[in-house]
């Protein structure tokens, strides 16, 4: 490492040119960075449930939908019904729309004794009050309509829009669909009032839009705060500009990897820019902290002074970059593509920030007049005085501090045991967000927009005409309706029961499964509508049960899915193959894979980083001691999560791995300096005091910078990103406490010589 320091100071122009040549191929890629208007990428690679769910969609059609709802006390009047009909027709002309279901085009089964006919529900819009009242009664008396197309009170109606199947690479599909839908709706707002839109299409698009708005905020805000921080600590314009130049090249080069690796900016990788900016600046701070005019006076050469500084910091900075890169790279074991991509790009960013901090920044500093960047650094005022008093307190009260920290850790471990593993997609958005308000409007009036599917497969053609097998489907639906969060179910059986009731002169007592296979076949011969196509195959050998849910918590969805599977396992099904599937199953599996992957990543990162620490510090004791300040912030973080009821979800699960890789950085700088002082034959107490005074300012400055880097994420519109930023910032603060208080106190306590 020291050869690099010598090379940079002897050939600064060459190193500067090489650095720019390294950065150029990546920087020219920046215009090619892509964002996507969806979050379809957030699935588990190789998950058999995902493959099975896709086969169901291939068989019955794409099940994605969104609901357009509006309310009116005059819903069943001629003007409003005509508007619904016009709106349905206009929406169906949108190229991205496969189908629209509404009161205007849904079929109605009208029956008499031993006969029924299928006709459009709005075949004719009545002009007189009695006719309109009869139409309203028909709508509210039809189980296929209530909760799906009309509310139970008859004042809210829904148009259910099914998008066409689209290529996975068409990232702007939903954006085009929603924009055209809003254009159509705008023409009818005068009569309908406000339209409310909710469903996976809207949720998916909203998630992607928040990501784009975050990118627009994160980078400029990070630049602003970092500039203020550098100025606050060093009060030097040139150092501030040099730091900004370094982090700009580091961040730009890292971002240039996105198009080269085929990675897009998404809700996870959008964290990379502020993170790399903060970490790149941390190494700059450790270099700046040694720009002492006393050193310049001793060596009388700017190049020699710079070489001395680089010799002193390059090894610990290399180790910090390496351990942080290992922390990020450990995320590559995840089965979730965006998590894996975040790990790849962030670890590359750590390589770039080390290279540019020592190959680009020093040559730029050597171009400045020494008196403009070197300062008189006094340890008896300001931060130096504070660190001196802190060291005295720690040395005087080492054992009480250690006892208090031990109690605090035990309490945090207890609180951590109460953490729930849960992701609530609804809570990803602030309560004031339009999406949450729309869901809060639609779901109580109609049905939930979440879905679980049950596949029912028979072994032979026409098997699902058998009433005994149809009874199995009916039994599953009846049980599903008893589960919390389930609002309604729909299947082929519901249509047959409606036909049977109509065939018996609309007698409600006959809203049951037809009693014979022959009667089922007769009904199907009379029924000439395609409304059942999404629930039964044309060979009548496979059926789909749709379950609409308003349960948005992954824990609640997991319980629902478990209950369905347990019910299926406990009952005979007349030879039918039954499997729970759907979007909720896919989401629950993603959460399980995420948590499992983070445990594996944390174990891998901890093992590799510990090994690196033992090798770097060349001491088993020092390596073991390094675990104390690194475990402390992570344990405290989980304790805070437990106390505040913050669940382990898609964002907070990332924190421990990222924090471990970053928190170890200052520990390396501190213990490296401590070992250097011990090598000079200083006793432990004095070596600790000198290490705190020598490295404390840089540790505090770099940690503050990281707090700012993570704190910028609090400006996000996306709640998981806010949680990640806030908790990570807390970890950076507790990491400083771990390095400057917990570690010295523990070392003195174990040494047995503290007072």
């Amino acid at each position: 490492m020291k050869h690099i320091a010598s090379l940079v100071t002897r050939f600064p122009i060459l190193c500067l040119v090489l650095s720019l040549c390294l950065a150029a191929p990546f920087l020219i890629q920046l215009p090619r960075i892509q964002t996507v208007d969806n979050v379809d990428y957030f699935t588990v690679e190789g998950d058999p449930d995902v493959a099975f769910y896709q086969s169901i969609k291939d068989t019955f059609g794409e099940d994605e939908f969104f609901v357009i709802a509006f309310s009116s006390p005059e819903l069943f009047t001629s003007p409003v019904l005509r508007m619904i009909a016009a709106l349905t027709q206009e929406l169906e002309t949108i190229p991205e729309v496969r189908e629209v279901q509404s009161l205007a085009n849904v079929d109605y089964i009208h029956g008499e004794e031993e006969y029924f006919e299928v006709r459009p529900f709005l075949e004719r819009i009545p002009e007189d009050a009695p006719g309109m009242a009869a139409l309203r009664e028909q709508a509210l008396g039809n189980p296929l309509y209530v909760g799906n197309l009309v509310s139970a009170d008859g004042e809210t109606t829904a148009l259910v829009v099914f998008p066409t199947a689209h290529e996975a690479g068409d990232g702007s599909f939903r954006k085009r669909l929603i924009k055209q839908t809003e254009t159509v709706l705008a023409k009818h707002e005068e009569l309908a009032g406000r339209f409310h839109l909710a469903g996976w299409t809207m949720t998916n698009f909203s998630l992607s839009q928040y990501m784009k708005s975050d990118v627009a905020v994160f980078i400029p805000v990070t630049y602003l705060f970092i500039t203020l921080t550098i100025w606050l600590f060093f009060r030097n314009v040139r150092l501030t500009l040099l730091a900004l130049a370094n982090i700009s090249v580091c961040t730009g080069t890292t971002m240039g990897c996105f198009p080269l690796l085929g990675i897009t900016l998404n809700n996870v990788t959008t964290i990379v820019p502020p993170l790399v900016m903060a970490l790149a600046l941390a190494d700059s701070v450790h270099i700046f902290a040694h720009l002492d005019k006393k050193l310049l006076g001793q060596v009388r050469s700017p190049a020699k002074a710079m070489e001395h500084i680089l010799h002193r910091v390059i090894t610990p900075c290399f180790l910090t970059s390496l351990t942080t890169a290992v922390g990020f790279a450990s995320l590559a074991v995840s089965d979730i593509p965006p998590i894996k991509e975040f790990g790849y790009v962030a670890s590359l960013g750590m390589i770039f920030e080390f290279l540019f901090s020592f190959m680009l920044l020093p040559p730029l500093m050597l171009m400045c007049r020494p008196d403009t960047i070197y300062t008189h650094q006094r340890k008896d005022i300001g931060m130096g005085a504070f660190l001196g008093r802190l060291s005295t307190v720690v040395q005087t009260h080492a054992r009480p501090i250690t006892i208090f920290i031990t109690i605090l850790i035990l309490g945090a471990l207890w609180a951590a045991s109460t953490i729930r593993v849960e992701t609530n997609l609804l809570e990803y958005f602030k309560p004031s967000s339009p999406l949450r308000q729309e869901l809060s409007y639609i779901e109580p009036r109609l049905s939930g927009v979440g879905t679980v599917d049950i596949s029912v497969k028979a072994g032979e053609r026409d098997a699902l005409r058998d009433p005994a097998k149809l009874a199995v489907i009916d039994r599953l639906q009846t049980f599903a309706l008893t589960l919390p969060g389930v609002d309604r179910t729909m299947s082929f059986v519901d249509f047959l029961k409606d036909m049977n009731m109509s065939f018996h002169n609309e007698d409600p007592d006959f809203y049951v499964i037809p009693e014979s296979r022959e009667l089922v076949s007769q009904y199907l011969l009379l029924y000439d509508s395609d409304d059942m196509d999404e629930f039964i195959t044309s060979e009548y050998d496979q059926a789909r049960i749709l379950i609409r849910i308003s349960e948005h918590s992954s824990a609640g969805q997991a319980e629902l899915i478990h209950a369905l599977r347990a019910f299926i396992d406990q009952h005979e099904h007349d030879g039918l193959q039954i499997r729970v599937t759907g979007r909720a199953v896919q989401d629950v599996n993603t959460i399980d894979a995420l948590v499992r992957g983070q445990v594996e990543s944390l174990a891998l990162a901890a093992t590799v980083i510990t090994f690196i620490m033992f090798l770097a510090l060349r001491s088993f004791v020092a390596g073991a001691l390094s675990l104390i300040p690194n475990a402390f912030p992570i344990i405290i973080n989980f304790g805070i999560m437990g106390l505040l009821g913050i669940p382990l979800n898609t964002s907070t699960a990332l924190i421990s791995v990222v924090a471990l890789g970053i928190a170890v950085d200052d520990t390396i700088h501190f213990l490296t300096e401590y070992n250097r002082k011990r090598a000079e034959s200083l006793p432990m107490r004095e070596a600790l005091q000198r290490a705190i005074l020598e490295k404390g300012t840089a540790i505090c400055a770099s940690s503050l910078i990281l707090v700012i880097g993570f704190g910028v994420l609090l400006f996000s519109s996306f709640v998981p990103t806010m949680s990640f930023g806030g908790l990570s910032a807390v970890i950076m603060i507790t990491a400083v406490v771990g390095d400057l208080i917990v570690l010295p106190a523990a070392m003195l306590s174990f040494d047995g010589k503290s007072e």
Side-chain angles (χ1 to χ4, degrees):
M1 284 296 135
K2 293 183 178 180
H3 293 300
I4 296 177
S6 300
L7 176 68
V8 171
T9 53
R10 291 176 186 174
F11 306 101
I13 301 300
L14 174 62
C15 291
L16 178 63
V17 172
L18 288 175
S19 297
L20 295 176
C21 289
L22 171 64
F26 296 95
L27 295 175
I28 62 176
Q29 298 294 325
L30 291 178
R32 296 182 55 229
I33 294 176
Q34 293 185 346
T35 59
V36 289
D37 293 305
N38 64 69
V39 292
D40 294 334
Y41 48 78
F42 225 94
T43 57
V44 181
E45 288 182 325
D47 184 0
D49 279 325
V50 172
F52 184 78
Y53 179 38
Q54 184 59 51
S55 72
I56 294 298
K57 292 191 286 186
D58 292 340
T59 301
F60 295 102
E62 181 65 47
D63 67 341
E64 179 179 334
F65 68 89
F66 66 97
V67 173
I68 302 171
F70 71 93
S71 299
S72 171
E74 300 178 348
L75 182 62
F76 285 92
T77 60
S78 296
V80 175
L81 292 177
R82 287 195 180 92
M83 184 204 69
I84 294 173
L87 192 55
T88 302
Q89 291 178 353
E90 291 171 26
L91 289 170
E92 287 178 333
T93 64
I94 296 175
E96 287 78 12
V97 171
R98 170 172 62 88
E99 180 186 3
V100 179
Q101 292 180 1
S102 73
L103 292 175
N105 64 359
V106 70
D107 285 326
Y108 178 76
I109 304 174
H110 173 71
E112 297 176 2
E113 191 65 41
E114 297 190 354
Y115 174 76
F116 68 77
E117 65 174 353
V118 181
R119 59 175 174 79
F121 175 70
L122 279 187
E123 185 176 38
R124 184 182 65 85
I125 298 177
E127 297 295 338
D128 59 313
M132 192 62 71
L135 187 72
R136 183 178 187 276
E137 184 179 352
Q138 288 175 355
L140 299 184
N142 193 317
L144 296 174
Y145 299 173
V146 177
N148 184 30
L149 300 177
V150 65
S151 61
D153 62 6
E155 293 191 357
T156 301
T157 189
L159 295 89
V160 184
V161 181
F162 294 86
T164 59
H166 58 279
E167 296 294 330
D170 188 356
S172 63
F173 174 84
R174 292 183 182 86
K175 181 179 181 179
R176 298 194 306 272
L177 169 59
I178 293 170
K179 184 177 181 180
Q180 293 176 86
T181 299
E182 290 173 343
T183 300
V184 170
L185 296 179
K187 302 175 186 177
H188 302 278
E189 286 182 344
E190 184 175 350
L191 180 58
R194 180 181 173 185
F195 289 101
H196 303 269
L197 285 72
W200 176 242
T201 304
M202 306 304 299
T203 303
N204 193 312
F205 180 68
S206 296
L207 288 169
S208 66
Q209 293 308 106
Y210 281 163
M211 176 271 297
K212 288 186 175 182
S213 65
D214 284 351
V215 172
V217 170
F218 287 167
I219 294 178
V221 171
T222 304
Y223 266 116
L224 174 63
F225 283 162
I226 282 177
T227 301
L228 293 175
T229 305
I230 290 293
W231 173 255
L232 176 66
F233 273 91
F234 298 102
R235 304 297 176 95
N236 189 298
V237 174
R238 283 180 175 79
L239 290 183
T240 302
L241 294 175
L242 288 170
L244 291 176
N246 184 44
I247 65 173
S248 297
V249 174
C250 290
T251 306
T253 305
T254 303
M255 297 298 289
C257 294
F258 277 70
L260 291 175
L261 296 176
I263 296 173
T264 59
L265 268 176
N266 56 52
N267 291 83
V268 178
T269 56
T270 189
I271 298 172
V272 169
L275 190 60
V276 171
M277 292 170 75
L279 289 168
L281 188 56
D283 275 358
S284 303
V285 166
H286 282 285
I287 295 174
F288 292 168
H290 292 280
L291 294 173
D292 192 343
K293 282 190 175 180
K294 290 182 181 179
L295 172 64
L296 194 61
Q298 292 170 0
V299 298
R300 298 184 179 278
S301 165
K304 286 292 183 182
M306 183 60 63
E307 184 177 358
H308 177 84
I309 293 170
L310 297 183
H311 278 170
R312 190 165 182 177
V313 300
I314 192 168
T315 298
C317 283
F318 169 75
L319 292 173
T320 60
S321 299
L322 177 61
T323 53
T324 305
V326 167
F328 290 138
S330 68
L331 296 172
V333 303
S334 175
D335 293 324
I336 302 173
I339 303 293
K340 186 179 296 187
E341 292 168 356
F342 171 81
Y344 290 150
V345 178
S347 57
L348 286 173
M350 294 306 95
I351 296 172
F352 288 134
E353 68 89 7
F354 173 76
L355 290 175
F356 291 124
S357 293
F358 288 91
M359 297 288 286
L360 174 68
L361 183 60
L364 291 176
M365 294 171 68
L366 288 172
M367 292 180 179
C368 300
R369 291 202 327 270
D371 61 309
T372 61
I373 58 175
Y374 285 80
T375 59
H376 290 290
Q377 297 185 3
R378 296 180 58 183
K379 307 296 183 185
D380 58 341
I381 60 173
M383 180 61 73
F386 167 76
L387 292 171
R389 290 193 294 271
L390 177 65
S391 176
T392 301
V393 170
V394 171
Q395 297 209 18
T396 305
H397 305 286
R399 281 184 179 160
I401 290 173
T402 302
I403 293 171
F404 172 76
I405 293 297
T406 301
I407 295 172
L408 183 63
I409 288 174
L410 292 174
L413 288 171
W414 172 82
S417 67
T418 65
I419 293 176
R420 296 170 292 114
V421 178
E422 176 179 297
T423 289
N424 189 325
L425 200 59
L426 189 60
E427 293 180 358
Y428 276 11
F429 302 91
K430 297 177 181 177
S432 60
S433 70
L435 185 134
R436 284 190 69 166
Q437 292 179 354
E438 300 289 67
L439 278 171
S440 298
Y441 183 90
I442 289 175
E443 291 191 332
R445 290 170 173 80
L446 295 161
S447 298
V449 295
T451 60
V452 175
D453 291 337
I454 299 179
S455 167
V456 180
K457 194 169 186 178
E460 58 184 18
R461 184 186 179 95
D462 292 328
L464 293 180
R465 294 175 185 258
D466 183 353
K469 289 181 170 55
L470 296 174
V472 172
I473 297 176
D474 191 43
R475 188 164 61 242
L476 279 168
Q477 288 183 254
T478 302
F479 173 74
L481 287 170
T482 67
L483 299 176
V486 173
D487 293 337
R488 64 177 283 111
T489 66
M490 285 189 70
S491 77
F492 166 56
V493 170
D494 295 309
F495 288 88
L496 286 173
K497 289 160 75 173
D498 192 30
M499 295 178 208
N500 196 44
M501 182 176 70
S502 297
F503 193 76
H504 292 86
N505 202 26
E506 305 295 343
D507 185 346
D509 291 340
F510 285 90
Y511 190 74
V512 293
I513 296 171
E515 60 186 16
S516 69
R517 186 186 185 103
E518 290 72 21
L519 198 54
V520 170
S521 298
Q522 182 181 346
Y523 290 168
L524 294 175
L525 189 63
L526 291 171
Y527 190 81
D528 59 352
S529 171
D530 59 2
D531 285 358
M532 294 191 306
D533 291 354
E534 60 184 293
F535 299 105
I536 189 74
T537 59
S538 58
E539 291 81 16
Y540 297 95
D541 61 349
Q542 186 173 4
R544 165 180 172 252
I545 302 172
L546 170 64
I547 302 175
R548 294 271 294 271
I549 61 173
S550 54
E551 174 60 74
H552 299 283
S553 157
S554 64
Q557 291 176 352
E559 290 177 5
L560 190 155
I561 292 165
H562 175 75
L564 288 171
R565 286 172 172 165
F567 182 83
I568 292 168
D569 292 340
Q570 291 167 7
H571 293 81
E572 292 294 329
H573 303 300
D574 201 19
L576 297 174
Q577 299 175 30
I578 302 176
R579 181 168 176 176
V580 182
T581 183
R583 189 172 302 281
V585 174
Q586 179 177 290
D587 293 344
V588 168
N589 288 354
T590 299
I591 301 305
D592 289 343
L594 178 65
V595 175
R596 183 176 63 253
Q598 294 317 296
V599 172
E600 294 172 356
S601 296
L602 182 59
L604 176 62
T607 302
V608 176
I609 289 173
T610 301
F611 179 71
I612 292 172
M613 293 292 285
F614 281 129
L615 289 180
L617 298 173
R618 299 178 183 178
S619 166
F620 178 82
V621 174
L625 286 171
S626 71
L627 300 179
I628 297 173
N630 296 322
F632 174 71
I634 295 174
I635 293 172
I636 296 300
N637 167 69
F638 283 125
I640 291 172
M641 288 175 60
L643 286 175
L644 299 182
I646 300 173
L648 191 66
N649 57 32
T650 50
S651 62
T652 55
L654 282 174
I655 293 173
S656 56
V657 178
V658 173
L660 178 62
I662 297 175
V664 74
D665 293 359
D666 287 337
T667 305
I668 290 174
H669 283 286
F670 181 85
L671 287 176
T672 300
E673 187 66 23
Y674 169 77
N675 284 344
R676 182 181 289 115
K677 298 304 179 186
R678 291 287 279 171
E680 296 173 3
S681 300
L682 292 179
M684 175 186 285
R685 297 171 69 84
E686 187 175 349
L688 284 171
Q689 185 176 30
R690 294 285 295 275
I692 291 174
L693 291 173
E694 292 289 338
K695 284 296 180 180
T697 299
I699 287 174
C700 290
S702 61
S703 297
L704 177 60
I705 288 164
L706 288 169
V707 168
I708 290 172
F710 285 117
V712 166
L713 303 181
L714 293 172
F715 288 90
S716 173
S717 303
F718 192 47
V719 173
T721 303
M722 294 173 62
S723 299
F724 178 85
L727 288 171
S728 296
V730 170
I731 284 180
M732 295 304 105
I733 295 171
T734 52
V736 174
V737 174
D739 289 320
L740 300 184
I741 298 176
V742 176
L743 177 58
M747 292 173 69
L748 290 168
S749 297
F750 294 145
D751 186 55
K753 298 179 182 178
S754 62
E755 297 176 6

